[in-house]
Amino acid sequence: MEKQFKKYLQVLLLCFAGAMLGFGLLNVFLDVFGLFGFKSKEQVRVYGEERFSKYLMTFEFVPQNFEGMILGPSLSANLNPDHIQGKNYFNLSLMGARINNVLSLTTNVIENNGNIKEAIVCIHPYVTSNVGTDESDYMNPDAYWKALGSVNLLRVYGLGIIRNFNLWPNKYPKNQYNTNGSNSFEPLFKVEDVSNRILEEVDNVKVSEFEIRADQRKDFEELLILLQNNSIRTFVYYHPVPFPIYNAHKKKMDKYWKDILSVANSNQGSLLNFYNFNNPEFFNFSKDVSNYIDHGHLSEKGQETLIQEIMTRWEN
C-alpha cells in the first residue's frame, strides 16, 4: 500500500509539473504583452489590468518597437500618438497614476532600452499627490514572471475574451485600448452636461493635492535626472485645467507650477523642456468646453489640439 501511494504521488507531481510547464509555454506562445517576440507590433494591446499589462510591456515591447513615450495619469491616457506626425510613440499613461508609477515605468523602459529617444510627461497636482498611492501595484521587476502564470494573467485573458467577443460593450468596449497604448475612454467618461460638471468640480478640488510632499518631490527629481542621464529628450507639460476650475484656484495652481519648476531648475538641461498650458495664451482652449468630456479629461478634439500644440512648442 505504501509503495502504491508513493507511485501515485510521483505520478501526480509529474502531471502537475507537466501541466504547469505546458501552461507556461502556452503563455509564452500567446505573448499578450509582447515579451517573447511571438507577436507583431500590430497584435499586442492592453485588454485589462492596465498597470500590470503596461508595466510588462516596458520590458521588451515598448523599448524595442517605439521611439517615444507619453507618461502621466488618465489626463494624458487618451492622447493618441497617431496625431504625432512622423514619430512612433507609445502611450504609457495609466488611470490613477502617481509620480512613483511614472518613475517605475520609465526606469524599466530605460533599463531595457532599445529605441526610446523622447518622452512627453503630463504633470498635474493629482500626479504628485501622495493621496491614494499604492506600493503593491505589481510595478516591480518581479512582475516579469507573472507573465508565465498568475491570477493577473488569467484576468487579462478573461477581459481579452470579453472585449474580443464584445460581450460587455458598455463596460469593456472592444477597442478601448489601441495598439499604441492610448485609451479611448471617451464613450465611458463623457458626461451629458460638461459645463455643469466643470462647475461642480470647482468646489471639489482638493487643496492638499497642490502640495508636493518630500517623497513625490524626490521621485519627480529622480525622473528628470534619469531622463537626462539617458539622453532622452523630454517635454514636461502642465495639463490644461478647464478655465472655471483654474480661475477659482489660480494662486495655488500657479504656485504649484513654480514648485514644479523649482525642482526642475536644479536639474535643468538642454534635453528638458517645460510648458504650462494654463498660461493666459491658452485660455481660449480651456474656456472651450468642447475640448473636454468632463471636469478635466480631453475630448478627441481637445487631445488632437493639445498634441499639435505640444509638438509645435517643443520644436520651436
Side-chain angles (χ1 to χ4, degrees), residues 57-81:
M57 289 177 178
T58 62
F59 282 95
E60 179 73 19
F61 180 66
V62 174
Q64 299 304 323
N65 290 286
F66 299 88
E67 62 182 303
M69 54 186 175
I70 299 174
L71 299 156
S74 60
L75 294 170
S76 58
N78 66 339
L79 294 184
N80 194 330

PDB file of all heavy atoms in Angstrom, residues 57-81:
ATOM      1  N   MET A  57       4.852  45.432 -20.585  1.00  0.00           N
ATOM      2  CA  MET A  57       5.208  45.883 -21.932  1.00  0.00           C
ATOM      3  C   MET A  57       6.501  46.699 -21.947  1.00  0.00           C
ATOM      4  O   MET A  57       7.129  46.854 -22.989  1.00  0.00           O
ATOM      5  CB  MET A  57       4.064  46.697 -22.532  1.00  0.00           C
ATOM      6  CG  MET A  57       2.853  45.871 -22.906  1.00  0.00           C
ATOM      7  SD  MET A  57       1.497  46.892 -23.537  1.00  0.00           S
ATOM      8  CE  MET A  57       0.286  45.619 -23.924  1.00  0.00           C
ATOM      9  N   THR A  58       6.896  47.221 -20.774  1.00  0.00           N
ATOM     10  CA  THR A  58       8.126  48.030 -20.731  1.00  0.00           C
ATOM     11  C   THR A  58       9.393  47.178 -20.714  1.00  0.00           C
ATOM     12  O   THR A  58      10.498  47.715 -20.828  1.00  0.00           O
ATOM     13  CB  THR A  58       8.139  48.961 -19.497  1.00  0.00           C
ATOM     14  OG1 THR A  58       8.112  48.173 -18.297  1.00  0.00           O
ATOM     15  CG2 THR A  58       6.955  49.914 -19.517  1.00  0.00           C
ATOM     16  N   PHE A  59       9.262  45.867 -20.589  1.00  0.00           N
ATOM     17  CA  PHE A  59      10.446  45.002 -20.623  1.00  0.00           C
ATOM     18  C   PHE A  59      10.977  44.841 -22.044  1.00  0.00           C
ATOM     19  O   PHE A  59      12.191  44.851 -22.266  1.00  0.00           O
ATOM     20  CB  PHE A  59      10.113  43.614 -20.063  1.00  0.00           C
ATOM     21  CG  PHE A  59      10.061  43.558 -18.561  1.00  0.00           C
ATOM     22  CD1 PHE A  59       8.852  43.690 -17.890  1.00  0.00           C
ATOM     23  CD2 PHE A  59      11.221  43.374 -17.811  1.00  0.00           C
ATOM     24  CE1 PHE A  59       8.797  43.641 -16.506  1.00  0.00           C
ATOM     25  CE2 PHE A  59      11.175  43.322 -16.422  1.00  0.00           C
ATOM     26  CZ  PHE A  59       9.960  43.453 -15.768  1.00  0.00           C
ATOM     27  N   GLU A  60      10.099  44.685 -23.009  1.00  0.00           N
ATOM     28  CA  GLU A  60      10.525  44.377 -24.366  1.00  0.00           C
ATOM     29  C   GLU A  60       9.744  45.149 -25.428  1.00  0.00           C
ATOM     30  O   GLU A  60      10.323  45.783 -26.297  1.00  0.00           O
ATOM     31  CB  GLU A  60      10.379  42.868 -24.616  1.00  0.00           C
ATOM     32  CG  GLU A  60      10.775  42.397 -26.002  1.00  0.00           C
ATOM     33  CD  GLU A  60      12.275  42.394 -26.238  1.00  0.00           C
ATOM     34  OE1 GLU A  60      13.033  42.404 -25.236  1.00  0.00           O
ATOM     35  OE2 GLU A  60      12.695  42.377 -27.412  1.00  0.00           O
ATOM     36  N   PHE A  61       8.422  45.096 -25.340  1.00  0.00           N
ATOM     37  CA  PHE A  61       7.575  45.613 -26.405  1.00  0.00           C
ATOM     38  C   PHE A  61       7.780  47.103 -26.664  1.00  0.00           C
ATOM     39  O   PHE A  61       8.013  47.523 -27.802  1.00  0.00           O
ATOM     40  CB  PHE A  61       6.104  45.334 -26.070  1.00  0.00           C
ATOM     41  CG  PHE A  61       5.146  45.837 -27.105  1.00  0.00           C
ATOM     42  CD1 PHE A  61       5.119  45.294 -28.377  1.00  0.00           C
ATOM     43  CD2 PHE A  61       4.251  46.865 -26.808  1.00  0.00           C
ATOM     44  CE1 PHE A  61       4.224  45.758 -29.338  1.00  0.00           C
ATOM     45  CE2 PHE A  61       3.364  47.336 -27.757  1.00  0.00           C
ATOM     46  CZ  PHE A  61       3.345  46.780 -29.028  1.00  0.00           C
ATOM     47  N   VAL A  62       7.690  47.919 -25.618  1.00  0.00           N
ATOM     48  CA  VAL A  62       7.806  49.374 -25.798  1.00  0.00           C
ATOM     49  C   VAL A  62       9.225  49.799 -26.170  1.00  0.00           C
ATOM     50  O   VAL A  62       9.422  50.499 -27.183  1.00  0.00           O
ATOM     51  CB  VAL A  62       7.323  50.130 -24.543  1.00  0.00           C
ATOM     52  CG1 VAL A  62       7.587  51.632 -24.678  1.00  0.00           C
ATOM     53  CG2 VAL A  62       5.832  49.878 -24.323  1.00  0.00           C
ATOM     54  N   PRO A  63      10.252  49.410 -25.424  1.00  0.00           N
ATOM     55  CA  PRO A  63      11.607  49.882 -25.768  1.00  0.00           C
ATOM     56  C   PRO A  63      12.119  49.394 -27.116  1.00  0.00           C
ATOM     57  O   PRO A  63      12.958  50.054 -27.724  1.00  0.00           O
ATOM     58  CB  PRO A  63      12.479  49.354 -24.623  1.00  0.00           C
ATOM     59  CG  PRO A  63      11.689  48.280 -23.982  1.00  0.00           C
ATOM     60  CD  PRO A  63      10.253  48.631 -24.175  1.00  0.00           C
ATOM     61  N   GLN A  64      11.621  48.282 -27.607  1.00  0.00           N
ATOM     62  CA  GLN A  64      12.127  47.745 -28.868  1.00  0.00           C
ATOM     63  C   GLN A  64      11.324  48.180 -30.091  1.00  0.00           C
ATOM     64  O   GLN A  64      11.810  48.070 -31.220  1.00  0.00           O
ATOM     65  CB  GLN A  64      12.162  46.203 -28.811  1.00  0.00           C
ATOM     66  CG  GLN A  64      13.058  45.644 -27.726  1.00  0.00           C
ATOM     67  CD  GLN A  64      14.492  46.140 -27.820  1.00  0.00           C
ATOM     68  OE1 GLN A  64      15.034  46.308 -28.909  1.00  0.00           O
ATOM     69  NE2 GLN A  64      15.109  46.374 -26.668  1.00  0.00           N
ATOM     70  N   ASN A  65      10.104  48.686 -29.870  1.00  0.00           N
ATOM     71  CA  ASN A  65       9.239  48.994 -31.013  1.00  0.00           C
ATOM     72  C   ASN A  65       8.883  50.463 -31.168  1.00  0.00           C
ATOM     73  O   ASN A  65       8.275  50.829 -32.178  1.00  0.00           O
ATOM     74  CB  ASN A  65       7.934  48.192 -30.909  1.00  0.00           C
ATOM     75  CG  ASN A  65       8.152  46.711 -31.137  1.00  0.00           C
ATOM     76  OD1 ASN A  65       8.366  46.258 -32.265  1.00  0.00           O
ATOM     77  ND2 ASN A  65       8.111  45.939 -30.063  1.00  0.00           N
ATOM     78  N   PHE A  66       9.242  51.305 -30.197  1.00  0.00           N
ATOM     79  CA  PHE A  66       8.839  52.707 -30.253  1.00  0.00           C
ATOM     80  C   PHE A  66      10.026  53.621 -29.967  1.00  0.00           C
ATOM     81  O   PHE A  66      10.988  53.226 -29.320  1.00  0.00           O
ATOM     82  CB  PHE A  66       7.712  52.963 -29.256  1.00  0.00           C
ATOM     83  CG  PHE A  66       6.471  52.161 -29.537  1.00  0.00           C
ATOM     84  CD1 PHE A  66       6.313  50.888 -29.004  1.00  0.00           C
ATOM     85  CD2 PHE A  66       5.475  52.660 -30.360  1.00  0.00           C
ATOM     86  CE1 PHE A  66       5.186  50.126 -29.278  1.00  0.00           C
ATOM     87  CE2 PHE A  66       4.333  51.909 -30.638  1.00  0.00           C
ATOM     88  CZ  PHE A  66       4.192  50.638 -30.110  1.00  0.00           C
ATOM     89  N   GLU A  67       9.925  54.858 -30.453  1.00  0.00           N
ATOM     90  CA  GLU A  67      11.000  55.833 -30.251  1.00  0.00           C
ATOM     91  C   GLU A  67      10.639  56.899 -29.225  1.00  0.00           C
ATOM     92  O   GLU A  67      11.490  57.669 -28.793  1.00  0.00           O
ATOM     93  CB  GLU A  67      11.354  56.508 -31.577  1.00  0.00           C
ATOM     94  CG  GLU A  67      10.211  57.296 -32.198  1.00  0.00           C
ATOM     95  CD  GLU A  67      10.585  57.911 -33.531  1.00  0.00           C
ATOM     96  OE1 GLU A  67      11.566  58.674 -33.573  1.00  0.00           O
ATOM     97  OE2 GLU A  67       9.895  57.626 -34.525  1.00  0.00           O
ATOM     98  N   GLY A  68       9.359  56.952 -28.840  1.00  0.00           N
ATOM     99  CA  GLY A  68       8.924  57.941 -27.869  1.00  0.00           C
ATOM    100  C   GLY A  68       7.846  57.371 -26.970  1.00  0.00           C
ATOM    101  O   GLY A  68       7.204  56.365 -27.304  1.00  0.00           O
ATOM    102  N   MET A  69       7.641  58.017 -25.808  1.00  0.00           N
ATOM    103  CA  MET A  69       6.611  57.544 -24.875  1.00  0.00           C
ATOM    104  C   MET A  69       5.910  58.732 -24.233  1.00  0.00           C
ATOM    105  O   MET A  69       6.507  59.788 -24.016  1.00  0.00           O
ATOM    106  CB  MET A  69       7.222  56.647 -23.802  1.00  0.00           C
ATOM    107  CG  MET A  69       8.371  57.249 -23.038  1.00  0.00           C
ATOM    108  SD  MET A  69       9.157  56.039 -21.907  1.00  0.00           S
ATOM    109  CE  MET A  69      10.552  57.021 -21.297  1.00  0.00           C
ATOM    110  N   ILE A  70       4.618  58.552 -23.955  1.00  0.00           N
ATOM    111  CA  ILE A  70       3.814  59.537 -23.234  1.00  0.00           C
ATOM    112  C   ILE A  70       3.583  58.986 -21.835  1.00  0.00           C
ATOM    113  O   ILE A  70       3.160  57.840 -21.671  1.00  0.00           O
ATOM    114  CB  ILE A  70       2.468  59.789 -23.935  1.00  0.00           C
ATOM    115  CG1 ILE A  70       2.701  60.341 -25.351  1.00  0.00           C
ATOM    116  CG2 ILE A  70       1.616  60.769 -23.125  1.00  0.00           C
ATOM    117  CD1 ILE A  70       1.423  60.476 -26.167  1.00  0.00           C
ATOM    118  N   LEU A  71       3.863  59.800 -20.823  1.00  0.00           N
ATOM    119  CA  LEU A  71       3.779  59.353 -19.427  1.00  0.00           C
ATOM    120  C   LEU A  71       2.866  60.272 -18.636  1.00  0.00           C
ATOM    121  O   LEU A  71       2.912  61.499 -18.795  1.00  0.00           O
ATOM    122  CB  LEU A  71       5.169  59.351 -18.794  1.00  0.00           C
ATOM    123  CG  LEU A  71       6.210  58.426 -19.431  1.00  0.00           C
ATOM    124  CD1 LEU A  71       7.613  58.927 -19.127  1.00  0.00           C
ATOM    125  CD2 LEU A  71       6.033  57.005 -18.925  1.00  0.00           C
ATOM    126  N   GLY A  72       2.024  59.688 -17.784  1.00  0.00           N
ATOM    127  CA  GLY A  72       1.152  60.513 -16.962  1.00  0.00           C
ATOM    128  C   GLY A  72      -0.043  59.726 -16.457  1.00  0.00           C
ATOM    129  O   GLY A  72      -0.076  58.497 -16.532  1.00  0.00           O
ATOM    130  N   PRO A  73      -1.067  60.430 -15.955  1.00  0.00           N
ATOM    131  CA  PRO A  73      -2.277  59.787 -15.428  1.00  0.00           C
ATOM    132  C   PRO A  73      -3.327  59.674 -16.534  1.00  0.00           C
ATOM    133  O   PRO A  73      -3.017  59.798 -17.723  1.00  0.00           O
ATOM    134  CB  PRO A  73      -2.706  60.754 -14.335  1.00  0.00           C
ATOM    135  CG  PRO A  73      -2.347  62.098 -14.921  1.00  0.00           C
ATOM    136  CD  PRO A  73      -1.081  61.887 -15.717  1.00  0.00           C
ATOM    137  N   SER A  74      -4.587  59.518 -16.147  1.00  0.00           N
ATOM    138  CA  SER A  74      -5.667  59.405 -17.131  1.00  0.00           C
ATOM    139  C   SER A  74      -5.817  60.676 -17.962  1.00  0.00           C
ATOM    140  O   SER A  74      -6.343  60.639 -19.073  1.00  0.00           O
ATOM    141  CB  SER A  74      -6.997  59.090 -16.435  1.00  0.00           C
ATOM    142  OG  SER A  74      -7.345  60.113 -15.516  1.00  0.00           O
ATOM    143  N   LEU A  75      -5.358  61.814 -17.433  1.00  0.00           N
ATOM    144  CA  LEU A  75      -5.455  63.073 -18.168  1.00  0.00           C
ATOM    145  C   LEU A  75      -4.701  63.020 -19.485  1.00  0.00           C
ATOM    146  O   LEU A  75      -5.039  63.727 -20.441  1.00  0.00           O
ATOM    147  CB  LEU A  75      -4.921  64.228 -17.309  1.00  0.00           C
ATOM    148  CG  LEU A  75      -5.731  64.548 -16.047  1.00  0.00           C
ATOM    149  CD1 LEU A  75      -4.986  65.535 -15.168  1.00  0.00           C
ATOM    150  CD2 LEU A  75      -7.121  65.078 -16.419  1.00  0.00           C
ATOM    151  N   SER A  76      -3.665  62.193 -19.556  1.00  0.00           N
ATOM    152  CA  SER A  76      -2.921  62.043 -20.809  1.00  0.00           C
ATOM    153  C   SER A  76      -3.108  60.670 -21.438  1.00  0.00           C
ATOM    154  O   SER A  76      -2.582  60.394 -22.504  1.00  0.00           O
ATOM    155  CB  SER A  76      -1.420  62.285 -20.566  1.00  0.00           C
ATOM    156  OG  SER A  76      -0.913  61.393 -19.583  1.00  0.00           O
ATOM    157  N   ALA A  77      -3.885  59.804 -20.767  1.00  0.00           N
ATOM    158  CA  ALA A  77      -4.016  58.419 -21.230  1.00  0.00           C
ATOM    159  C   ALA A  77      -4.724  58.298 -22.572  1.00  0.00           C
ATOM    160  O   ALA A  77      -4.530  57.321 -23.295  1.00  0.00           O
ATOM    161  CB  ALA A  77      -4.749  57.583 -20.184  1.00  0.00           C
ATOM    162  N   ASN A  78      -5.580  59.273 -22.915  1.00  0.00           N
ATOM    163  CA  ASN A  78      -6.282  59.181 -24.196  1.00  0.00           C
ATOM    164  C   ASN A  78      -5.640  60.021 -25.294  1.00  0.00           C
ATOM    165  O   ASN A  78      -6.220  60.197 -26.371  1.00  0.00           O
ATOM    166  CB  ASN A  78      -7.760  59.555 -24.039  1.00  0.00           C
ATOM    167  CG  ASN A  78      -7.977  61.018 -23.671  1.00  0.00           C
ATOM    168  OD1 ASN A  78      -7.070  61.674 -23.150  1.00  0.00           O
ATOM    169  ND2 ASN A  78      -9.166  61.521 -23.921  1.00  0.00           N
ATOM    170  N   LEU A  79      -4.425  60.536 -25.045  1.00  0.00           N
ATOM    171  CA  LEU A  79      -3.702  61.233 -26.112  1.00  0.00           C
ATOM    172  C   LEU A  79      -3.252  60.192 -27.132  1.00  0.00           C
ATOM    173  O   LEU A  79      -2.449  59.316 -26.824  1.00  0.00           O
ATOM    174  CB  LEU A  79      -2.485  61.976 -25.553  1.00  0.00           C
ATOM    175  CG  LEU A  79      -2.757  63.137 -24.598  1.00  0.00           C
ATOM    176  CD1 LEU A  79      -1.448  63.816 -24.210  1.00  0.00           C
ATOM    177  CD2 LEU A  79      -3.701  64.161 -25.223  1.00  0.00           C
ATOM    178  N   ASN A  80      -3.765  60.288 -28.326  1.00  0.00           N
ATOM    179  CA  ASN A  80      -3.469  59.288 -29.357  1.00  0.00           C
ATOM    180  C   ASN A  80      -2.186  59.646 -30.091  1.00  0.00           C
ATOM    181  O   ASN A  80      -2.129  60.642 -30.805  1.00  0.00           O
ATOM    182  CB  ASN A  80      -4.626  59.196 -30.352  1.00  0.00           C
ATOM    183  CG  ASN A  80      -4.527  57.974 -31.228  1.00  0.00           C
ATOM    184  OD1 ASN A  80      -3.430  57.484 -31.520  1.00  0.00           O
ATOM    185  ND2 ASN A  80      -5.657  57.458 -31.670  1.00  0.00           N
ATOM    186  N   PRO A  81      -1.139  58.838 -29.946  1.00  0.00           N
ATOM    187  CA  PRO A  81       0.149  59.129 -30.599  1.00  0.00           C
ATOM    188  C   PRO A  81       0.082  59.176 -32.122  1.00  0.00           C
ATOM    189  O   PRO A  81       1.016  59.654 -32.759  1.00  0.00           O
ATOM    190  CB  PRO A  81       1.046  57.966 -30.136  1.00  0.00           C
ATOM    191  CG  PRO A  81       0.430  57.498 -28.863  1.00  0.00           C
ATOM    192  CD  PRO A  81      -1.046  57.651 -29.077  1.00  0.00           C
TER     193      PRO A  81
END
